[in-house]
Amino acid sequence: MLPVGTPWWLIVTGCLLMIFIGKKLFGGIGAYPAHPVMLTYAMLHISWPQHFDNTKALLHFDWDVPMIDVLQISRTYGQHGEALFSWQDLLMGNQVAAIGNGQILFILLGGILLLLMNAISWHIPTAFILGVVGMSAILNLIDPGLSASPLFHLLSASTLLGAFFLATESTTSPVNPIPMLIYGLLGGVLLVLLRSFSSHIDGIAFTILIINFVAPLVDRITPGIRGMELETHA
Amino acid sequence: MNPLTQLFNKPPTVKLVDDEVLNMPAPDYVVLPMDYTQRELYSWQVEIGDQVRQNQIIARNSMGVCLHTPISGKVFDIKPVWSEKGVHVPAVCITRGAGDIVSTDEIFDQYGVSRNQASFDDQLKALGIHPPWLPLAIDSVTVNHTPEVITNLVVVGYDEEPGIYIQYNLLIQKFDAVVQGFNLLKKILPNATQTLLTDRQASLQIKGQLPQNIQLKSVAPQYSARLLDTNIPKLLNIRFDHDRDYALQGAVVISIERLLVLMAAIEDSQPFTTKHLTVSNKAPAEQRTIRIHHGSSIRSVLEFTGFSKHKPECIIAGGPMKGIAQFNDLTPLTRSTDGIHLIAEDQIASGSGESCINCGACTRNCPVNLQIHLIGRYVEFNNFNSAKEFHPELCTECGLCSYVCPAQRPLVQFVKLCNQYGNQKNEHTPKIECSIESPLEEWDQHCTTSADMGSCPHTCH
Ligand code: SF4
């Protein structure tokens, strides 16, 4: 999730922050209220913003792709920036994004594997993707110059990583089916909104943090308990 | 275990139907607890030192239902023992000795009415059977609760616990008797529609052989689809009744085994003194269905079936999901035990109680839709009042939550703890350090072989 060429001390600081503040301070695995990785990422991002620019990190390289962060392109040119990429390019990872974010095909495969192994349930990723597609379609309809098409949002940067690997983290996500759907949907919508209107290029960290804090609230929507009717009956 | 390999592995197949159900011979001694499931409380009518004869009435409960001794011999003790439900209850202990069988007329003499004058319900009670059309509690019996008010009869032809095959064995082996039983109950419960509830495998085997008037319903093979507490209300379209007192709601729900016992009592006047049970071993998977006398000890059953060769570390009375682990192998087996499940030392799940990772598997699998992940956490930190808000008392103790929990948390135990201690205003750790000292252990010390039992000089009260 960090850009290419991140200095080593940033990584060490991040590890320490994640373990001590993200996890241990709250009581270890199972007790933290927000995704520790995202919490640390957000802290680093706010503290050293100059190290979080994917475009700048690749200043001295020249590959056969547009050497600007994909999101930067879509932000500046909206749908017109999209012409630089075909969807196959995006899928195969021919895009400038942070480490690991852009390998869309492999992230997709990994996500499907998680689903098959029953490690995560389908609710959150599906709702998250629906949220991204829906929100970006609305923005795209309003003003194509402002926001790229849904497919572009889906296949660029950290969308799928967030849908399959970050939002589904069990400790910080709801457990009942309907709350999971709401949680995922909210995440998708928020991600597109942050990408389009916030001062951060990729709002994934803040999206995940915000929906993490919403999770216990939405999780109060529970299915009715069988046998509860008896109480009024007796 | 690696979930990836689980994707491709099939569970091992075990032979389900035994060629015949073995009858276990009468044991050297029996221990008859006076309390079943803490609902039927019996008061005994014998003294220490009495000679008793097989089928003699030795106890009776408040409804008038009797308990008979399955063997002749001498009452050598009356004292508290651990029952298979893990509670301390008084029990009558009898060693085997000489004596003939009590005749039916004598049973009725003992019961206090002559056979010709006794009502049909009383006849059954004298033979040790609670008439299934009567509610379980005496205060809910009203004058007009006659067999005519029963509109549904459900005979359960499968065992909900995995690894127990009593009903399946009986259904396949005694199919004609089961059909006769249905006909008999048609006469007793004239207004009831009759349903046989089985699992898919059995229903395929008996399809087309059932008379027209009996509906056949089958359930899916997964454990969660087999739970009677949710299946029966769905089938009958009645409320989910936590007390399972279906008689009050116009339904009779009995197992095939009870149906056969009922038939034996009505047609041959046989008192209820034997029970079927399935002995199973976890690994290597092996199971055997046998018929035992009430009050036989687990040890005698294991020796008879040869399962003691597995050197079990943990003995569970009941099935692997709802069963209860036993303190020792001298616990008597009663009318309510359907099985014994053995687990070797290297097979025991540690149940180490790691902290919850909030994965929600427990909550999504709960057949009653309880928020188990929250209840478990609250109870873990002794916050019983908050846990109570999520209605843990509606738990059916099916055990699915503990089974699916990746952190191996003892969730059913948490719920039970909450139900037992939650009512006390107790913000501190409840006192659960009870002495796990079985009175039967004293037998172990003084009477090393069961032959010593009768002549044990030590009074272990
Ligand atoms: S299954 Fe276990 S780890 Fe998962 S939520 Fe329930 S108690 Fe927690």
Side-chain angles (χ1 to χ4, degrees):
Chain A
M1 300 218 58
L2 294 171
V4 182
T6 309
W8 63 268
W9 53 264
L10 197 68
I11 297 172
V12 173
T13 320
C15 288
L16 291 178
L17 282 180
M18 185 185 85
I19 290 174
F20 290 109
I21 296 190
K23 278 193 177 161
K24 290 292 171 216
L25 205 63
F26 292 112
I29 290 184
Y32 41 79
H35 199 309
V37 176
M38 288 297 100
L39 192 69
T40 323
Y41 183 87
M43 285 195 277
L44 296 182
H45 196 156
I46 293 171
S47 314
W48 292 279
Q50 69 275 25
H51 288 299
F52 279 77
D53 190 339
N54 288 321
T55 317
K56 209 171 103 193
L58 291 176
L59 205 54
H60 308 298
F61 295 81
D62 191 12
W63 293 324
D64 202 10
V65 284
M67 293 305 281
I68 309 180
D69 193 330
V70 269
L71 294 177
Q72 189 78 52
I73 299 176
S74 81
R75 226 176 148 136
T76 329
Y77 303 108
Q79 203 172 16
H80 313 300
E82 250 187 277
L84 294 172
F85 301 91
S86 68
W87 66 268
Q88 290 97 333
D89 269 352
L90 288 174
L91 191 67
M92 294 312 294
N94 288 333
Q95 53 176 300
V96 172
I99 304 171
N101 278 11
Q103 312 308 324
I104 306 295
L105 186 65
F106 289 97
I107 287 173
L108 205 58
L109 287 181
I112 290 171
L113 199 65
L114 281 186
L115 281 174
L116 279 183
M117 285 165 57
N118 248 340
I120 57 177
S121 75
W122 58 270
H123 302 81
I124 295 178
T126 316
F128 196 95
I129 290 171
L130 275 184
V132 169
V133 170
M135 196 63 211
S136 54
I138 293 174
L139 288 185
N140 188 265
L141 281 183
I142 294 174
D143 181 2
L146 181 76
S147 175
S149 68
L151 189 67
F152 182 86
H153 270 293
L154 209 57
L155 295 182
S156 62
S158 48
T159 312
L160 288 182
L161 187 79
F164 284 108
F165 293 88
L166 299 177
T168 53
E169 208 274 336
S170 62
T171 303
T172 51
S173 62
V175 306
N176 292 298
I178 294 178
M180 282 201 285
L181 290 175
I182 299 178
Y183 167 91
L185 208 62
L186 194 68
V189 169
L190 214 55
L191 180 65
V192 177
L193 287 181
L194 285 184
R195 273 184 182 181
S196 307
F197 301 112
S198 78
S199 62
H200 305 282
I201 289 187
D202 195 355
I204 187 74
F206 303 99
T207 309
I208 301 289
L209 285 184
I210 292 172
I211 56 174
N212 279 173
F213 292 124
V214 176
L217 267 184
V218 285
D219 213 8
R220 300 180 79 126
I221 308 174
T222 57
I225 305 176
R226 297 240 193 106
M228 272 291 285
E229 322 83 270
L230 269 190
E231 296 220 331
T232 49
H233 174 66
Chain B
M1 226 186 292
N2 186 349
L4 247 193
T5 56
Q6 268 179 20
L7 271 181
F8 305 104
N9 283 355
K10 281 213 178 100
T13 42
V14 194
K15 190 164 153 250
L16 300 186
V17 182
D18 293 301
D19 300 329
E20 59 173 333
V21 170
L22 275 188
N23 283 323
M24 187 173 132
D28 291 334
Y29 68 96
V30 291
V31 177
L32 299 165
M34 294 290 114
D35 179 351
Y36 294 95
T37 65
Q38 292 166 307
R39 207 151 30 175
E40 300 171 47
L41 203 59
Y42 287 81
S43 36
W44 54 95
Q45 305 173 337
V46 285
E47 305 268 318
I48 297 180
D50 279 2
Q51 290 291 336
V52 290
R53 291 154 62 204
Q54 184 178 345
N55 291 357
Q56 181 180 331
I57 295 177
I58 57 161
R60 190 186 292 215
N61 74 5
S62 56
M63 291 278 284
V65 181
C66 298
L67 192 69
H68 307 74
T69 160
I71 57 174
S72 302
K74 182 173 157 216
V75 178
F76 75 89
D77 216 340
I78 298 175
K79 63 173 175 187
V81 299
W82 285 109
S83 79
E84 92 277 11
K85 298 281 181 233
V87 284
H88 227 175
V89 295
V92 174
C93 317
I94 299 168
T95 43
R96 195 168 66 189
D100 52 349
I101 302 179
V102 175
S103 72
T104 316
D105 289 335
E106 280 176 282
I107 294 179
F108 282 100
D109 276 353
Q110 261 194 315
Y111 187 68
V113 278
S114 84
R115 197 176 172 190
N116 306 329
Q117 286 162 3
S119 71
F120 187 58
D121 287 355
D122 278 345
Q123 287 186 27
L124 285 181
K125 287 177 187 171
L127 293 170
I129 295 166
H130 182 103
W133 44 87
L134 292 187
L136 282 172
I138 192 162
D139 44 3
S140 34
V141 182
T142 55
V143 187
N144 45 16
H145 195 97
T146 56
E148 279 76 36
V149 303
I150 302 292
T151 51
N152 271 302
L153 165 70
V154 182
V155 175
V156 181
Y158 70 92
D159 292 278
E160 64 174 18
E161 287 279 293
I164 295 183
Y165 301 103
I166 302 170
Q167 320 303 341
Y168 182 56
N169 268 298
L170 291 177
L171 179 63
I172 302 298
Q173 291 172 9
K174 307 204 171 165
F175 182 71
D176 297 335
V178 174
V179 175
Q180 274 178 33
F182 269 108
N183 293 337
L184 190 69
L185 281 181
K186 188 80 209 165
K187 286 181 206 141
I188 302 169
L189 310 169
N191 300 332
T193 51
Q194 302 189 323
T195 312
L196 175 63
L197 193 65
T198 59
D199 57 10
R200 275 197 200 136
Q201 194 175 0
S203 77
L204 287 181
Q205 269 169 283
I206 60 168
K207 211 175 195 171
Q209 302 176 35
L210 271 185
Q212 286 293 315
N213 56 336
I214 305 172
Q215 294 178 36
L216 182 62
K217 290 265 162 69
S218 65
V219 298
Q222 304 91 337
Y223 176 61
S224 52
R226 297 165 72 98
L227 290 168
L228 282 177
D229 280 341
T230 51
N231 274 347
I232 300 287
K234 222 188 288 169
L235 181 72
L236 302 179
N237 198 11
I238 55 176
R239 282 168 195 278
F240 175 79
D241 189 337
H242 194 61
D243 282 337
R244 279 187 236 105
D245 213 344
Y246 296 116
L248 285 175
Q249 308 197 38
V252 166
V253 179
I254 53 172
S255 63
I256 286 194
E257 188 185 20
R258 285 291 169 112
L259 180 71
L260 295 178
V261 166
L262 196 66
M263 249 175 63
I266 295 174
E267 298 199 327
D268 309 334
S269 301
Q270 251 181 41
F272 180 22
T273 55
T274 56
K275 171 88 184 84
H276 289 86
L277 72 93
T278 303
V279 192
S280 56
N281 189 48
K282 186 170 180 199
E286 192 184 340
Q287 54 87 24
R288 187 85 235 222
T289 302
I290 60 167
R291 188 157 118 174
I292 60 160
H293 292 80
H294 287 159
S296 308
S297 69
I298 293 180
R299 182 184 293 175
S300 64
V301 171
L302 294 189
E303 274 165 13
F304 172 69
T305 50
F307 274 64
S308 39
K309 69 169 186 273
H310 293 303
K311 306 241 171 349
E313 173 70 16
C314 176
I315 300 175
I316 295 172
M321 303 295 278
K322 285 192 189 182
I324 294 179
Q326 300 300 310
F327 296 127
N328 71 24
D329 62 353
L330 283 179
T331 311
L333 296 165
T334 61
R335 309 174 168 192
S336 48
T337 329
D338 284 338
I340 304 176
H341 187 65
L342 307 176
I343 304 179
E345 193 170 7
D346 52 346
Q347 297 283 324
I348 296 179
S350 62
S352 49
E354 301 283 334
S355 59
C356 171
I357 56 165
N358 201 40
C359 67
C362 49
T363 300
R364 284 196 297 277
N365 278 293
C366 180
V368 195
N369 293 340
L370 292 177
Q371 299 289 303
I372 300 288
H373 65 297
L374 293 177
I375 297 176
R377 282 182 175 194
Y378 281 133
V379 175
E380 187 182 4
F381 296 106
N382 292 324
N383 193 346
F384 292 114
N385 291 343
S386 304
K388 282 261 144 186
E389 287 169 20
F390 294 95
H391 298 277
E393 72 279 2
L394 291 168
C395 169
T396 61
E397 292 175 16
C398 69
L400 264 173
C401 46
S402 309
Y403 183 76
V404 296
C405 178
Q408 298 190 344
R409 286 161 67 76
L411 293 167
V412 200
Q413 285 83 345
F414 280 150
V415 173
K416 279 189 183 178
L417 193 67
C418 181
N419 288 340
Q420 281 182 17
Y421 291 92
N423 290 332
Q424 302 164 8
K425 274 221 156 128
N426 192 349
E427 290 301 314
H428 308 290
T429 316
K431 281 236 177 320
I432 46 174
E433 311 132 24
C434 62
S435 66
I436 305 184
E437 227 180 75
S438 161
L440 282 165
E441 262 161 27
E442 289 183 48
W443 292 8
D444 265 351
Q445 287 159 16
H446 302 298
C447 327
T448 42
T449 64
S450 47
D452 295 344
M453 283 278 177
S455 52
C456 177
H458 193 92
T459 42
C460 321
H461 289 306

Coordinates of all heavy atoms in Angstrom, one line a residue, chain A residues 175, chain B residues 355-363 372-373 376-377 401 404-409 411, ligand 1:
Chain A
V175 N -21.3 -8.7 11.9 CA -21.4 -10.2 11.7 C -22.8 -10.6 11.1 O -22.9 -11.7 10.6 CB -21.2 -10.9 13.0 CG1 -19.9 -10.5 13.6 CG2 -22.3 -10.7 14.0
Chain B
S355 N -9.2 -15.4 22.5 CA -10.2 -14.3 22.5 C -10.9 -14.3 21.2 O -10.4 -14.7 20.1 CB -9.5 -12.9 22.7 OG -8.6 -12.7 21.7
C356 N -12.2 -13.8 21.2 CA -13.1 -13.8 20.1 C -12.5 -12.9 19.0 O -12.1 -11.7 19.3 CB -14.4 -13.3 20.5 SG -15.6 -13.0 19.2
I357 N -12.5 -13.3 17.7 CA -12.1 -12.4 16.6 C -13.3 -11.8 15.9 O -13.1 -11.3 14.8 CB -11.2 -13.1 15.7 CG1 -11.9 -14.4 15.1 CG2 -9.9 -13.5 16.3 CD1 -11.2 -14.9 13.9
N358 N -14.5 -12.0 16.5 CA -15.7 -11.4 15.9 C -16.0 -11.8 14.5 O -16.4 -11.0 13.7 CB -15.5 -9.8 16.0 CG -16.8 -9.1 15.9 OD1 -17.8 -9.6 16.5 ND2 -16.9 -8.0 15.2
C359 N -15.6 -13.1 14.2 CA -15.9 -13.5 12.8 C -17.3 -13.7 12.5 O -17.8 -13.7 11.4 CB -15.1 -14.8 12.5 SG -15.8 -16.2 13.4
G360 N -18.1 -14.0 13.6 CA -19.6 -14.1 13.4 C -20.1 -15.4 12.9 O -21.2 -15.6 12.7
A361 N -19.2 -16.4 12.8 CA -19.6 -17.7 12.4 C -20.7 -18.3 13.4 O -21.6 -18.9 12.9 CB -18.4 -18.7 12.3
C362 N -20.4 -18.1 14.7 CA -21.4 -18.6 15.7 C -22.8 -18.0 15.5 O -23.8 -18.7 15.4 CB -20.9 -18.3 17.1 SG -20.4 -16.6 17.3
T363 N -22.8 -16.7 15.3 CA -24.1 -16.0 15.2 C -24.8 -16.4 13.9 O -26.0 -16.6 13.9 CB -23.8 -14.5 15.3 OG1 -23.2 -14.2 16.5 CG2 -25.1 -13.7 15.2
I372 N -24.6 -14.7 19.6 CA -23.7 -15.5 20.5 C -22.4 -14.8 20.7 O -21.8 -14.8 21.7 CB -23.4 -16.9 19.9 CG1 -24.7 -17.6 19.8 CG2 -22.5 -17.6 20.8 CD1 -25.3 -18.1 21.1
H373 N -21.9 -14.1 19.6 CA -20.6 -13.5 19.8 C -20.6 -12.4 20.9 O -19.6 -12.2 21.6 CB -20.1 -12.9 18.5 CG -20.9 -11.7 17.9 ND1 -22.2 -11.9 17.6 CD2 -20.6 -10.5 17.7 CE1 -22.7 -10.7 17.2 NE2 -21.7 -9.8 17.2
G376 N -21.2 -14.3 24.4 CA -19.9 -14.9 24.9 C -19.0 -13.9 25.4 O -18.3 -14.1 26.5
R377 N -18.8 -12.7 24.8 CA -17.9 -11.7 25.3 C -18.3 -11.2 26.6 O -17.6 -11.0 27.5 CB -17.8 -10.6 24.3 CG -16.9 -11.0 23.1 CD -16.8 -9.8 22.3 NE -15.8 -10.0 21.2 CZ -15.4 -9.1 20.4 NH1 -15.7 -7.8 20.6 NH2 -14.5 -9.3 19.4
C401 N -22.5 -23.3 17.8 CA -21.6 -22.2 17.9 C -20.2 -22.6 18.3 O -19.2 -22.2 17.7 CB -22.2 -21.1 18.8 SG -22.8 -21.8 20.4
V404 N -18.4 -24.4 15.4 CA -17.8 -23.6 14.2 C -16.8 -22.6 14.7 O -16.1 -22.1 13.8 CB -18.9 -22.9 13.4 CG1 -19.9 -23.9 12.8 CG2 -19.7 -21.9 14.3
C405 N -16.7 -22.3 15.9 CA -15.8 -21.2 16.4 C -14.4 -21.5 16.0 O -13.8 -22.4 16.5 CB -16.0 -21.0 17.9 SG -14.9 -19.7 18.4
P406 N -13.7 -20.6 15.2 CA -12.3 -20.8 14.9 C -11.4 -20.6 16.1 O -10.3 -21.1 16.1 CB -12.1 -19.8 13.8 CG -13.1 -18.7 14.0 CD -14.3 -19.4 14.6
A407 N -11.9 -19.8 17.1 CA -11.1 -19.6 18.2 C -11.3 -20.7 19.3 O -10.8 -20.6 20.4 CB -11.3 -18.2 18.8
Q408 N -12.1 -21.6 19.0 CA -12.5 -22.7 19.9 C -12.9 -22.2 21.3 O -12.5 -22.7 22.3 CB -11.2 -23.6 20.1 CG -10.8 -24.3 18.8 CD -9.8 -25.4 19.0 OE1 -9.2 -25.4 20.1 NE2 -9.6 -26.2 18.0
R409 N -13.8 -21.3 21.3 CA -14.3 -20.8 22.5 C -15.4 -21.6 23.1 O -16.2 -22.1 22.3 CB -14.8 -19.3 22.3 CG -13.7 -18.3 22.2 CD -14.3 -17.1 21.5 NE -15.2 -16.3 22.4 CZ -14.8 -15.6 23.4 NH1 -13.5 -15.5 23.7 NH2 -15.6 -14.9 24.1
L411 N -18.5 -21.6 23.9 CA -19.6 -20.7 23.8 C -20.9 -21.3 24.5 O -21.6 -20.5 25.2 CB -19.9 -20.3 22.4 CG -18.8 -19.5 21.7 CD1 -19.0 -19.5 20.3 CD2 -18.8 -18.1 22.3
Ligands
SF4_1 S1 -17.3 -18.0 16.2 FE1 -15.9 -17.7 17.9 S2 -14.4 -16.2 17.1 FE2 -16.2 -16.2 15.7 S3 -17.5 -14.5 16.5 FE3 -18.2 -16.4 17.5 S4 -17.1 -16.5 19.4 FE4 -16.0 -15.0 18.2

